[in-house]
């Protein structure tokens, strides 16, 4: 019987790249076809031999990224259509010109209402700032400077006052603690003296009592010896 | 395990650790591929380093993060190919010398093997790896790369065809000729798959 399977089919079966149905069919075919069986066996053997070769892990670690991502890169990452914008440079250029024009117009937008005639005037100017606005800006700038200077001076004075207050408070607390410590020390000294006096009088009492008892004992022994001596003499 | 696409997203949002995790995750796999392909430790390290740098520079241009694994592999394969192309003459002479040396050594080895009762049992893991390495080194480069990608990296034939930009059937026939050649060489060493399988 001539086999119609190719080496590709054997590979597909061995490396599991066919459907379950085709796999079952091939399995059935292999039981009958000797050449396919041999081919499969050979692939299996070589594959097994190959699998025994293990590569040890590299003994160094590779240098990874450490630098910070620049903000331009980040913006590029955030705008998905950045590439698109770059490709259509002409459109981008025209768009940006239009945007700048619009921005100028909005910045110099002027609207006024005349109550006598009941007319509303709206105008936009592309270039140039009105003269009165220029002086207003100057005055604003001057006022701002003055306010800042005043505020800074106030802040400085406030800071000094706080500093003085803290220093005073600290001194006061230090004095209080000193007073407390000295009074405590005095109390302790006094207490110690009283304690010592107590101990002294107790010792005196013990000494007195013991002395009396010792005298009694000595007297007793003296009597005993005297009595014994008399007995000795009598014998 | 964090998915590659999540790490890429982190990196695109400015978190450098996203890239570092990605690199740490892939370095061993890329290294073992490059090592098997080029058969040289230092060269493989160089290739992996260059591949990671290239990845870092071009990751923003990757349109579909789901395809990251084939993308990074494609970079590594191209670098390896370029490397081989640039150092072809030197490499060929070096490889030939190695093969000549190894063949004379093999003859000794085989003689000593024949005198023993069960030669395969004497083969330890290290020797076997050396033999496989030498056997693969003797194959043409185009067959070798297909075998490595299929056997060790587990890519589908269609994926390999994409990496090497050639038809699927070409990949399969390269695999076929490569394996047949390998079987011949391995038979010279008296290596039998069943014995190895039972041993392990």
């Amino acid at each position: 019987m001539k086999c119609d399977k190719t080496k590709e089919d054997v590979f597909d079966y061995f490396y599991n790249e066919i459907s379950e149905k085709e796999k079952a069919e091939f399995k059935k075919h292999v039981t009958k076809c000797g050449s396919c069986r041999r081919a499969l066996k050979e692939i299996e053997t070589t594959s097994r031999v190959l699998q025994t070769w293990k590569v040890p892990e590299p003994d160094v670690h590779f240098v990874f990224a450490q630098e910070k991502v620049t903000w331009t890169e980040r913006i590029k990452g955030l705008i998905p259509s950045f590439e698109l914008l770059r490709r259509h440079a002409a459109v981008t250029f025209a768009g940006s010109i239009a945007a700048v024009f619009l921005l100028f117009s909005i910045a110099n937008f002027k609207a006024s209402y005349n109550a006598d005639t009941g007319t509303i005037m709206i105008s936009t100017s592309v270039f140039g700032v009105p003269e009165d606005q220029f002086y207003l800006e100057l005055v604003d700038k001057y006022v701002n400077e003055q306010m800042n200077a005043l505020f800074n001076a106030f802040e400085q004075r406030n800071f000094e006052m706080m500093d003085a207050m803290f220093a005073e408070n600290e001194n006061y607390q230090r004095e209080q603690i000193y007073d407390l410590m000295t009074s405590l020390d005095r109390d302790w000294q006094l207490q110690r003296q009283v304690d010592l006096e107590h101990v002294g009088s107790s010792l005196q009492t013990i000494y007195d009592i013991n002395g009396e008892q010792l005298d009694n004992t000595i007297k007793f022994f003296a009597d005993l010896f005297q009595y014994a001596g008399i007995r000795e003499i009598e014998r | 395990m964090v998915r590659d696409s999540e790490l890429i997203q982190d990196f695109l949002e400015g978190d450098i650790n996203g890239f570092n995790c990605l690199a740490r995750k892939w370095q061993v796999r890329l290294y073992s591929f490059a090592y098997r392909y080029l058969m040289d430790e230092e060269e493989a390290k160089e290739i992996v380093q260059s591949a990671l740098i290239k990845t870092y520079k071009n990751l923003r241009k990757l349109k579909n993060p789901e395809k990251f694994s084939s993308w990074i592999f494609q970079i590594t394969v191209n670098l390896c190919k370029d490397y081989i192309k640039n150092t072809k003459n030197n490499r060929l002479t070096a490889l030939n010398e190695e093969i000549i040396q190894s063949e004379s050594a093999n003859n000794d080895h085989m003689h000593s093997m024949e005198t023993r009762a069960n030669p395969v049992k004497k083969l330890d893991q290290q020797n076997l790896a050396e033999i496989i390495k030498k056997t693969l080194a003797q194959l043409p480069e185009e067959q070798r790369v297909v075998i490595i990608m299929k056997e060790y990296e587990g890519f589908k034939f269609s994926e390999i065809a994409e990496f090497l930009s050639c038809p699927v059937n070409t990949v399969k026939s390269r695999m076929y000729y490569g394996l047949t050649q390998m079987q011949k060489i391995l038979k010279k060493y008296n290596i039998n798959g069943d014995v190895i399988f039972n041993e392990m």
Side-chain angles (χ1 to χ4, degrees):
Chain A
M1 192 181 78
K2 185 95 176 80
C3 170
D4 63 339
K5 302 281 179 200
T6 58
K7 57 182 183 290
E8 281 87 2
D9 294 329
V10 184
F11 274 140
D12 284 341
Y13 173 75
F14 181 71
Y15 290 110
N16 208 3
E17 290 193 21
I18 45 172
S19 65
E20 286 300 315
K21 197 182 155 203
E22 287 169 312
K23 222 172 145 182
E25 274 173 23
F26 192 88
K27 216 171 174 180
K28 219 164 135 189
H29 169 78
V30 162
T31 53
K32 291 175 200 154
C33 175
S35 71
C36 280
R37 205 161 46 237
R38 270 193 302 281
L40 196 61
K41 179 94 183 152
E42 298 240 289
I43 295 172
E44 218 176 341
T45 304
T46 322
S47 178
R48 266 181 205 159
V49 174
L50 280 168
Q51 288 303 326
T52 59
W53 181 22
K54 305 271 187 281
V55 173
E57 279 195 23
D59 56 354
V60 287
H61 281 280
F62 299 99
V63 178
F64 299 140
Q66 275 161 358
E67 73 209 72
K68 259 193 129 75
V69 182
T70 59
W71 64 272
T72 42
E73 289 281 301
R74 210 172 289 187
I75 288 172
K76 276 184 201 173
L78 283 177
I79 305 172
S81 56
F82 189 83
E83 277 295 304
L84 207 75
L85 285 181
R86 217 182 52 164
R87 266 179 232 154
H88 301 280
V91 178
T92 315
F93 184 69
S96 44
I97 293 283
V100 168
F101 190 82
L102 202 70
L103 208 72
F104 268 110
S105 305
I106 292 165
N108 295 308
F109 179 80
K110 225 161 69 179
S112 60
Y113 172 67
N114 194 329
D116 295 336
T117 54
T119 50
I120 299 166
M121 290 270 291
I122 296 173
S123 68
T124 60
S125 65
V126 180
F127 300 107
V129 182
E131 227 170 78
D132 51 347
Q133 202 174 332
F134 174 71
Y135 289 116
L136 269 175
E137 272 173 14
L138 262 186
V139 170
D140 267 2
K141 203 175 153 195
Y142 177 73
V143 168
N144 266 341
E145 272 171 14
Q146 290 297 313
M147 287 289 281
N148 275 342
L150 265 174
F151 185 74
N152 283 343
F154 178 71
E155 211 175 40
Q156 181 65 28
R157 218 174 56 221
N158 229 353
F159 178 73
E160 279 163 9
M161 262 168 68
M162 291 290 278
D163 215 30
M165 265 168 70
F166 277 126
E168 206 175 310
N169 194 27
E170 209 176 276
N171 266 340
Y172 175 72
Q173 277 187 1
R174 209 174 283 146
E175 274 168 20
Q176 290 260 312
I177 290 168
Y178 179 75
D179 284 353
L180 190 72
M181 294 299 276
T182 24
S183 77
L184 269 176
D185 194 41
R186 210 167 44 237
D187 284 358
W188 281 337
Q189 291 288 349
L190 245 140
Q191 189 64 40
R192 198 159 157 258
Q193 212 169 340
V194 171
D195 284 351
L196 279 175
E197 275 168 15
H198 275 298
V199 172
S201 67
S202 306
L203 278 174
Q204 188 61 45
T205 319
I206 292 166
Y207 179 74
D208 288 350
I209 294 167
N210 280 357
E212 205 178 311
Q213 280 184 350
L214 203 69
D215 281 349
N216 285 342
T217 317
I218 290 167
K219 208 178 158 201
F220 169 74
F221 274 112
D223 287 350
L224 198 73
F225 284 143
Q226 205 179 359
Y227 179 68
I230 289 164
R231 294 287 295 221
E232 189 73 42
I233 292 159
E234 276 179 1
R235 194 183 291 170
Chain B
M1 197 81 179
V2 189
R3 285 171 59 207
D4 288 342
S5 54
E6 287 168 26
L7 293 172
I8 293 168
Q9 191 56 39
D10 286 351
F11 172 65
L12 292 181
E13 281 166 7
D15 181 8
I16 205 79
N17 277 331
F19 180 80
N20 287 343
C21 289
L22 209 60
R24 224 165 272 136
K25 193 175 157 187
W26 277 90
Q27 59 174 1
V28 176
R29 196 172 163 194
L30 293 183
Y31 170 78
S32 45
F33 170 75
Y35 177 75
R36 284 184 174 120
Y37 191 6
L38 304 174
M39 311 249 173
D40 186 291
E41 217 173 293
E42 291 307 313
E43 285 168 16
K45 280 179 201 165
E46 290 272 309
I47 292 287
V48 176
Q49 184 72 66
S50 316
L52 291 176
I53 291 170
K54 225 170 171 180
T55 309
Y56 178 77
K57 282 183 181 164
N58 296 308
L59 195 51
R60 286 169 206 290
K61 292 179 192 160
L62 180 66
K63 285 187 187 99
N64 187 357
E66 296 297 326
K67 285 193 174 170
F68 176 76
S69 61
S70 27
W71 183 70
I72 197 171
F73 245 94
Q74 185 74 64
I75 290 176
T76 316
V77 171
N78 289 346
L79 283 170
C80 287
K81 274 175 153 183
D82 288 348
Y83 181 84
I84 288 175
K85 208 159 78 185
N86 292 337
T87 56
K88 202 166 188 179
N89 293 328
N90 298 338
R91 269 181 70 81
L92 274 180
T93 46
L95 271 178
N96 282 339
E97 271 172 26
E98 206 174 286
I99 288 164
I100 290 163
Q101 277 177 6
S102 68
E103 284 205 328
S104 60
N106 289 338
N107 287 337
D108 297 344
H109 193 57
M110 272 170 73
H111 284 306
S112 62
M113 272 175 152
E114 280 164 13
T115 55
R116 287 170 189 165
N118 194 348
V120 182
K121 281 201 173 166
K122 304 287 174 194
L123 272 177
D124 57 18
Q125 192 83 17
Q126 188 107 37
N127 279 337
L128 191 59
E130 276 304 306
I131 290 171
I132 294 167
K133 202 173 148 185
K134 279 170 191 164
T135 314
L136 278 172
Q138 289 178 58
L139 298 182
E141 184 220 319
E142 51 189 26
Q143 291 173 14
R144 188 169 72 236
V145 68
V146 172
I147 291 179
I148 292 167
M149 278 184 167
K150 186 74 216 174
E151 277 294 334
Y152 298 109
E153 303 305 330
F155 283 115
K156 285 185 177 161
F157 285 118
S158 55
E159 287 171 320
I160 298 172
E162 219 169 285
F163 285 139
L164 305 175
S165 39
C166 62
V168 179
N169 277 341
T170 312
V171 172
K172 282 182 187 170
S173 54
R174 279 179 191 173
M175 181 92 191
Y176 174 77
Y177 289 118
L179 286 185
T180 318
Q181 186 68 15
M182 270 207 83
Q183 282 155 15
K184 275 184 202 158
I185 301 169
L186 288 175
K187 263 175 201 159
K188 267 201 338 198
Y189 286 97
N190 209 9
I191 289 173
N192 180 324
D194 285 339
V195 179
I196 287 154
F197 187 66
N198 293 336
E199 279 281 291
M200 300 199 74

